[in-house]
Amino acid sequence: MKVILLHEVPGLGQAGDVKEVADGYARNYLLPRELVTPATKANMATLTDRVTSEKRKREKVEAEQAALAAKIEAASLVFSVRVGSGGRLYGSVTNQDVANALLELNQISVNRRAIQLSDPLRHLGTFEVPVRIAPKLEPKVKVTLVAAGSEEEKAAQGSQIVTPAEPEPASAE
């Protein structure tokens, strides 16, 4: 019996595949579980329509993701932070701070979990922070940390500077 797979069936194929299976296997296992549909002319036409529709949707999503990646690549964030001895920050700049700055300054909405910081940024400098948009699409946003009141901050006044949220002090009860 010729069938169209509606879902992935281990050992048989992926959704949308047309396969030839034993009649008993189709009648007793695949059809009752609604894993397949018979490969009639009408079902084959529906399958081709569904495949072309899904292809158009996928292309549209990929184009949107590419546009978002270009916007992220073009973005440059400058954080004005308080610094202690040796250039270490009081606190840190986290993926949440980067996500908030992207939204505030560039109107780019990104989930904080998509920002691939292995550790929070705790030193002054310029960093390339990857943002995972899709499995094979990871643009990098340029993040610069400058000391508050320093010459670098004054030089960066032409660009917008973000001050990360200060950590909440522990309340003494």
Side-chain angles (χ1 to χ4, degrees):
M1 172 182 269
K2 205 170 197 178
V3 295
I4 301 171
L5 299 179
L6 301 175
H7 302 281
E8 178 184 354
V9 178
L12 191 56
Q14 300 291 324
D17 290 350
V18 178
K19 296 289 182 174
E20 183 73 35
V21 296
D23 291 346
Y25 181 47
R27 270 194 322 271
N28 297 325
Y29 182 77
L30 297 173
L31 288 170
R33 289 172 177 76
E34 297 180 359
L35 298 173
V36 298
T37 186
T40 62
K41 287 185 180 186
N43 288 343
M44 293 297 284
T46 303
L47 173 67
T48 57
D49 290 345
R50 187 179 333 144
V51 167
T52 56
S53 172
E54 288 176 8
K55 183 178 178 183
R56 277 194 309 265
K57 286 180 188 176
R58 188 172 44 251
E59 289 172 352
K60 182 180 176 185
V61 167
E62 288 173 358
E64 289 172 356
Q65 290 173 342
L68 179 62
K71 284 176 69 174
I72 289 173
E73 281 283 342
S76 178
L77 305 175
V78 179
F79 286 89
S80 175
V81 293
R82 291 183 19 209
V83 182
S85 62
R88 281 192 57 86
L89 275 57
Y90 289 115
S92 62
V93 175
T94 63
N95 56 357
Q96 182 67 51
D97 295 325
V98 173
N100 290 342
L102 280 171
L103 181 61
E104 180 182 321
L105 299 178
N106 300 65
Q107 287 73 42
I108 301 172
S109 179
V110 176
N111 186 338
R112 70 177 176 84
R113 289 181 180 88
I115 298 171
Q116 303 294 304
L117 269 179
S118 58
D119 292 317
L121 304 176
R122 292 193 170 97
H123 294 283
L124 295 178
T126 301
F127 304 91
E128 295 286 326
V129 178
V131 179
R132 177 167 288 155
I133 294 174
K136 293 182 180 179
L137 189 58
E138 243 182 53
K140 293 181 180 4
V141 63
K142 182 180 173 186
V143 176
T144 304
L145 304 181
V146 296
S150 69
E151 295 299 320
E152 291 96 10
E153 182 185 28
K154 291 175 184 151
Q157 286 298 337
S159 62
Q160 294 181 322
I161 298 178
V162 180
T163 305
E166 294 293 320
E168 300 278 331
S171 62
E173 291 182 18

